[in-house]
Amino acid sequence: MTTQAGGLRGVVVGESEICDVQPEGNLYYRGYNIHDLADHATFEEVVFLLWKGKLPTEAELAAFKAEIVAEYALPEGVLAILRDFPTNAVSMDALRTGVSALGMYDPDTGNNTPEANQRKALRLQAKIPTIVAAIDRLSKGLEPVAPRTDLGLAANFLYMLTGVEADPLYVRTMDIDFILHADHELNASTFATRVTVATSADIYSGTVSGIGALSGPRHGGAAEETMQMLLEIGSPEAVDAWVRPKLTGEKRTPIPGFGHAVYRAPDPRATHLREMSKQLGELHGDTKWWQMTTNIESIVDELSNTPDRLAAGKQGIYANVDCFSASCYYEMGLGMQLFTPMFAISRTSGWCAHMIEQYKPGQKIIRPRAEYVGPVDQTWVPIADR
Ligand SMILES: CC(C)(COP(=O)(O)OP(=O)(O)OC[C@H]1O[C@@H](n2cnc3c(N)ncnc32)[C@H](O)[C@@H]1OP(=O)(O)O)[C@@H](O)C(=O)NCCC(=O)NCCS
């Protein structure tokens, strides 16, 4: 029997038509290679693909985008709740509570039909960026910026953070980042959303479960930890002295932004963000953060992927999706408190795709078993005698 200590690694708990993560370093959404999507698609196209199972035609995409922008604005009641949060609230806690409140304002509350769930998914995808941007501004004592319905999800999100239209390279980087983080099969937060809605709970309850699971540093917090590491190291020249002892001492210390629970080869998502990190550095005339990250990659590769270690059955260690997203975000002036909420903006698309799939008829409630290993045959002792 698989136990909790095994973390359900390698256990297949069901079938899905949404995302194929292959340990040898391949990733597909609905059969489309992530490299093609990152190179050619927009985030909205990918959301359509994830939810409806096919790429949209031009007319379908235009209609879908129009539906999304029409849902950008938040109900006044939700804004009032966000305004009430302490300014030092943890951003993921604030997002969790904001999304929970949003569910009570949805006109389809209580309606769990497939059509209503597509509408609710669309509202979640449209409004979560507005919540994240409002939380960020309110935490700084600034007024939220109203969304711009002439901008797509990535451009509008960046605009709402500052009130100024972002550089086109920032917008494309954000769009690619959203595409790359959109789905990743049964990661912890997506599994949490499916467990929740398998009880026929509503899609907002599922999304709140997903946000809660994502908030943990072992899931959504890796980009922030990577940036903290880069800031602590400080310069490309200081990388060697910082990283090498972590991987050569008695006990190896995991380097943030490296390794993956499924991939045993380079994470295909890192390729695109490595390039964007370099381009952003070049735009600003200083590629220091990109250079530092690639220097770390070289040392991790030298000390982890040795013939000896691999022959001994150790897994190869490579940069994961968060390795270069950290420096991309930092180059775009995005504060570290935004890193995990931005992951949530993107992953909302995957969460909703999986919840929509989970709601299909014939799906069972998810109820595994635990192997009982506690004490047995205990004798009842009255409370006064304990
Ligand atoms: C993601 C992660 C939890 C997956 O871990 P895992 O598959 O369970 O791997 P394990 O923790 O069992 O480690 C297996 C081996 O790989 C090494 N390893 C794993 N991640 C490593 C990392 N980030 N840096 C260096 N070595 C690493 C371990 O040292 C271990 O080697 P050892 O047996 O010689 O000590 C892990 O790689 C990690 O903590 N990464 C850093 C955090 C991160 O970036 N998370 C985001 C993932 S998208």
Side-chain angles (χ1 to χ4, degrees):
M1 190 177 200
T2 304
T3 64
Q4 172 61 20
L8 297 179
R9 288 295 163 82
V11 176
V12 176
V13 300
E15 294 180 346
S16 175
E17 295 178 357
I18 301 166
C19 182
D20 187 9
V21 181
Q22 299 180 347
E24 55 273 25
N26 301 315
L27 172 61
Y28 300 88
Y29 296 166
R30 301 269 187 195
Y32 291 94
N33 194 305
I34 194 67
H35 295 306
D36 286 331
L37 297 172
D39 284 340
H40 307 297
T42 61
F43 181 51
E44 282 86 345
E45 258 179 301
V46 169
V47 177
F48 188 103
L49 172 69
L50 290 171
W51 294 356
K52 302 183 193 284
K54 67 183 259 300
L55 285 171
T57 62
E58 270 183 42
E60 285 169 335
L61 182 61
F64 188 60
K65 284 161 98 169
E67 283 175 353
I68 292 175
V69 301
E71 292 288 352
Y72 278 167
L74 297 179
E76 272 307 317
V78 172
L79 268 173
I81 289 167
L82 302 184
R83 286 181 198 284
D84 246 11
F85 293 159
T87 49
N88 64 350
V90 174
S91 54
M92 284 298 279
D93 295 353
L95 176 61
R96 187 191 62 222
T97 308
V99 171
S100 185
L102 186 63
M104 291 183 270
Y105 291 86
D106 194 298
D108 281 307
T109 294
N111 184 352
N112 242 356
T113 61
E115 298 74 26
N117 281 326
Q118 287 274 351
R119 288 194 295 271
K120 287 194 269 191
L122 189 129
R123 290 185 197 115
L124 277 159
Q125 191 64 68
K127 293 183 197 301
I128 283 181
T130 316
I131 293 180
V132 171
I135 289 168
D136 192 59
R137 289 191 58 93
L138 289 167
S139 75
K140 295 170 176 158
L142 300 169
E143 263 305 291
V145 171
R148 283 246 317 253
T149 54
D150 59 325
L151 299 176
L153 279 163
N156 177 54
F157 171 63
L158 292 172
Y159 167 75
M160 288 188 295
L161 291 173
T162 61
V164 177
E165 256 189 77
D167 185 282
L169 186 64
Y170 289 18
V171 175
R172 185 60 191 142
T173 303
M174 197 77 261
D175 211 41
I176 291 174
D177 182 78
F178 283 167
I179 290 169
L180 297 172
H181 282 91
D183 196 43
H184 218 227
E185 198 219 53
L186 290 191
N187 56 90
S189 58
T190 303
F191 190 54
T193 68
R194 290 192 76 132
V195 170
T196 300
V197 303
T199 69
S200 293
D202 81 307
I203 202 165
Y204 283 89
S205 300
T207 305
V208 171
S209 297
I211 292 170
L214 185 70
S215 70
R218 293 164 82 186
H219 185 4
E224 193 175 332
E225 283 190 16
T226 304
M227 197 60 231
Q228 269 156 2
M229 168 183 70
L230 294 175
L231 290 168
E232 191 183 320
I233 297 175
S235 72
E237 297 70 37
V239 162
D240 201 285
W242 195 95
V243 176
R244 202 167 283 277
K246 302 259 185 304
L247 300 179
T248 46
E250 286 242 311
K251 197 177 173 311
R252 289 165 63 90
T253 311
I255 309 297
F258 288 82
H260 195 271
V262 178
Y263 292 124
R264 293 295 171 259
D267 182 335
R269 302 168 297 176
T271 314
H272 300 273
L273 293 172
R274 185 186 291 104
E275 174 58 25
M276 298 322 288
S277 169
K278 182 162 183 252
Q279 286 188 25
L280 287 163
E282 284 166 354
L283 180 75
H284 299 145
D286 182 1
T287 54
K288 164 182 166 175
W289 303 112
W290 165 79
Q291 189 62 61
M292 283 173 72
T293 317
T294 52
N295 288 4
I296 299 173
E297 262 194 307
S298 305
I299 299 169
V300 170
D301 185 55
E302 179 198 326
L303 300 176
S304 301
N305 307 329
T306 59
D308 284 0
R309 279 183 62 84
L310 298 177
K314 300 285 184 189
Q315 65 196 54
I317 304 296
Y318 305 94
N320 61 44
V321 68
D322 295 312
C323 191
F324 286 92
S325 65
S327 51
C328 285
Y329 300 154
Y330 199 76
E331 288 277 3
M332 292 193 282
L334 305 171
M336 279 191 270
Q337 75 288 351
L338 278 166
F339 287 14
T340 314
M342 289 192 297
F343 191 161
I345 291 174
S346 166
R347 190 55 57 87
T348 295
S349 60
W351 291 336
C352 289
H354 280 268
M355 289 189 279
I356 288 165
E357 190 175 66
Q358 188 67 42
Y359 282 127
K360 285 191 174 158
Q363 295 274 13
K364 288 195 160 224
I365 193 166
I366 299 172
R367 203 301 188 191
R369 294 293 315 276
E371 185 179 4
Y372 181 70
V373 294
V376 294
D377 295 334
Q378 302 252 58
T379 303
W380 168 256
V381 182
I383 195 163
D385 299 336
R386 287 174 216 159

